[in-house]
Amino acid sequence: MKKTLLFVVLIMPLWSEAQTYNSLPVDESVFYAQTKQVNQFFRRFNGEEDVKGNKIYSGDSTVRDPKLRKKYVPILFDNNNSGISRDMKELFINQVLNKKSPAYLNFHGNNWFAEVSATFTYNKVKANVILYLKLVEQNQGYKWIFSNVYFDEFTKYFKHLGDTTNIKLFLHPLSHEIDFMNMNKVFRDQENIDYYLESRYVPDHLAMFVTEVKRGNLKFESVNSVKFHFFQIPNWYFEVTYFNRNEANSGWLISNLLWITQNEKKELIRNYTHE
């Protein structure tokens, strides 16, 4: 998951938006507290933006200031999410803000990707397709590319994949002696052709997606939702989702948080990208 497509916490003691922006009028403080852009999420997480949304550049004495990050990181969580416990938030934030080895996000780094839910028409019927995208370097810049795709309709073509219970549908081990002339039985029964594939074969939805788009069978309609998956902080996974609310705790916020081992990280990535 190949065209360019660009889309665009609480710790004890708990820090509130009012504490961070208490020198501003109420309406203005709400505006500045909202994390309105994904790039802004990165800057706030890293302590590279002041409370009025001004970027703090490398070389400035206040860039990545620990006191600023201590105010920012807790408010980057969705306060309405009861699924993330305070203890887990505190453990995560303490690791991120560790004085000896603080952790930062890297916009141009690996281990983060976008998940886009989009509406397409497939053979003139509306359908939902999940698109996975990642940033890659090209020439002197970067671009988003499709790294994977998941489409329910494609899974129907492989409903028997890995099934070893059918003992009738197979090519005899001596088929080569008759120049595989018995292969005609395979193609007369199109619905069951997946019985003749290697059981460990993983269907390439991305290749099928490109093929169907080029044939004109799959046509883009609109983007429904966008979220981002992060694996950049050692032993942690978190998800960032957009919350459209008329309050300070809105915009791009952490909506899911998990402590994971390296093996769990690999499995989680496979699950999210349907690999």
Side-chain angles (χ1 to χ4, degrees):
M1 340 168 272
K2 278 216 175 203
K3 274 189 175 180
T4 302
L5 184 61
L6 179 57
F7 301 97
V8 230
V9 199
L10 301 172
I11 186 172
M12 295 299 291
L14 297 178
W15 291 84
S16 69
E17 289 80 353
Q19 288 173 304
T20 307
Y21 302 94
N22 56 10
S23 62
L24 300 171
V26 176
D27 291 344
E28 190 177 1
S29 68
V30 169
F31 174 79
Y32 285 124
Q34 294 171 341
T35 306
K36 297 170 286 297
Q37 297 179 338
V38 177
N39 285 13
Q40 188 175 38
F41 178 90
F42 276 83
R43 292 196 300 268
R44 289 183 166 186
F45 189 97
N46 292 340
E48 298 166 353
E49 177 182 293
D50 65 23
V51 295
K52 286 195 173 184
N54 299 311
K55 183 177 179 180
I56 304 174
Y57 292 92
S58 177
D60 192 295
S61 60
T62 61
V63 69
R64 296 189 170 183
D65 178 63
K67 292 181 180 179
L68 180 61
R69 295 190 75 205
K70 189 174 182 179
K71 293 180 180 181
Y72 262 142
V73 176
I75 67 170
L76 293 177
F77 283 81
D78 171 26
N79 290 349
N80 296 337
N81 189 341
S82 59
I84 305 176
S85 69
R86 289 187 176 185
D87 288 343
M88 182 167 286
K89 289 177 186 176
E90 182 175 3
L91 188 64
F92 175 78
I93 294 171
N94 285 343
Q95 178 176 331
V96 167
L97 301 180
N98 184 280
K99 292 182 179 180
K100 292 184 178 180
S101 57
Y104 302 98
L105 297 179
N106 183 356
F107 183 82
H108 296 121
N110 297 321
N111 293 319
W112 78 289
F113 58 89
E115 177 182 331
V116 178
S117 171
T119 296
F120 284 74
T121 54
Y122 185 54
N123 293 325
K124 300 183 180 180
V125 177
K126 284 193 175 184
N128 188 68
V129 178
I130 304 298
L131 307 169
Y132 297 94
L133 300 102
K134 65 179 181 180
L135 271 179
V136 296
E137 189 173 4
Q138 179 172 292
N139 300 327
Q140 301 301 313
Y142 290 81
K143 68 177 183 179
W144 285 98
I145 62 164
F146 296 125
S147 54
N148 207 349
V149 170
Y150 181 79
F151 184 27
D152 277 338
E153 288 295 317
F154 292 161
T155 64
K156 296 178 182 179
Y157 294 122
F158 301 93
K159 58 184 178 181
H160 303 305
L161 192 61
D163 185 355
T164 58
T165 60
N166 192 312
I167 60 175
K168 294 182 179 180
L169 299 179
F170 70 100
L171 283 171
H172 194 279
L174 294 178
S175 298
H176 60 286
E177 299 291 2
I178 57 172
D179 296 332
F180 294 101
M181 293 184 65
N182 56 342
M183 198 181 290
N184 62 350
K185 72 172 185 178
V186 176
F187 298 107
R188 285 200 306 265
D189 185 17
Q190 298 98 323
E191 284 296 311
N192 291 315
I193 193 171
D194 39 333
Y195 278 114
Y196 300 89
L197 303 178
E198 185 177 7
S199 60
R200 293 177 295 177
Y201 170 68
V202 178
D204 188 343
H205 283 210
L206 184 57
M208 298 172 69
F209 171 78
V210 172
T211 299
E212 292 298 271
V213 168
K214 287 190 172 185
R215 288 176 174 173
N217 298 327
L218 195 57
K219 296 183 178 181
F220 175 78
E221 293 285 330
S222 62
V223 169
N224 303 321
S225 63
V226 180
K227 56 185 175 181
F228 298 90
H229 303 280
F230 287 83
F231 296 88
Q232 291 190 353
I233 306 301
N235 295 119
W236 290 95
Y237 157 79
F238 65 89
E239 178 182 298
V240 173
T241 307
Y242 187 81
F243 295 89
N244 187 12
R245 300 188 287 240
N246 188 26
E247 57 184 78
N249 185 237
S250 62
W252 293 102
L253 302 171
I254 295 174
S255 55
N256 194 9
L257 178 68
L258 296 172
W259 188 92
I260 55 174
T261 64
Q262 190 63 27
N263 287 336
E264 288 171 334
K265 172 183 174 179
K266 293 177 182 178
E267 185 63 28
L268 197 57
I269 291 175
R270 281 197 294 266
N271 288 339
Y272 275 111
T273 57
H274 301 277
E275 291 182 343

